[in-house]
Amino acid sequence: MSVFTEAELRYMVGGRQLARLATVGADGTPHVVPVAWIYNAARDTIDVGGHELERTKKFRDVSRTGRAAIVIDDMASTDPWRPRGIEVRGRGEAIALPTPLIRIHPERIVTWGLERGRTARSVR
């Protein structure tokens, strides 16, 4: 059973490929960057990839802290204004081999515009 609701799963497999990943630098400074991602149904995680990922600040940050957050969002409509999205915060893994990736294990999920209103919950 997934930690994500049916509405969240439908949204995540709906063709969106761009998100923003947040990490924290060694000096405590936040770092937010656009990334490519996929929902890994086998592990119930969000997996982030990218060109030479293992050489990036985000990869080093997750390696050091073991934490990450990602926001996947878009506009359902601009008239009327209807933003929607999902934020996933949790334990992050920086996996170097065989293909470098950052894997986010959800601990907190916040959504808006997917169902009625905003939802927020802790999982696992």
Side-chain angles (χ1 to χ4, degrees):
M1 185 166 173
S2 178
V3 297
F4 296 102
T5 67
E6 287 299 319
E8 292 163 353
L9 289 170
R10 278 192 310 276
Y11 183 72
M12 289 191 299
V13 299
R16 284 154 209 78
Q17 299 176 333
L18 186 64
R20 285 161 296 284
L21 179 74
T23 62
V24 177
D27 65 354
T29 302
H31 179 65
V32 179
V33 291
V35 294
W37 66 278
I38 61 165
Y39 168 64
N40 183 331
R43 298 187 183 273
D44 208 25
T45 59
I46 305 294
D47 291 354
V48 173
H51 181 69
E52 296 186 347
L53 182 67
E54 70 279 15
R55 301 177 76 167
T56 64
K57 177 177 178 8
K58 60 188 166 271
F59 194 85
R60 291 190 304 273
D61 286 350
V62 172
S63 293
R64 190 186 67 264
T65 65
R67 308 294 299 165
I70 193 165
V71 170
I72 304 156
D73 63 341
D74 70 351
M75 296 295 293
S77 170
T78 58
D79 187 18
W81 187 260
R82 288 188 27 224
R84 61 184 176 178
I86 181 169
E87 174 193 3
V88 179
R89 296 180 232 162
R91 183 171 61 84
E93 284 183 272
I95 301 168
L97 298 172
T99 302
L101 65 91
I102 294 170
R103 177 165 288 149
I104 303 170
H105 299 267
E107 294 175 353
R108 181 87 174 150
I109 299 170
V110 179
T111 66
W112 57 96
L114 301 187
E115 294 180 293
R116 294 183 309 256
R118 181 180 178 274
T119 67
R121 67 186 185 287
S122 296
V123 296
R124 295 197 183 170

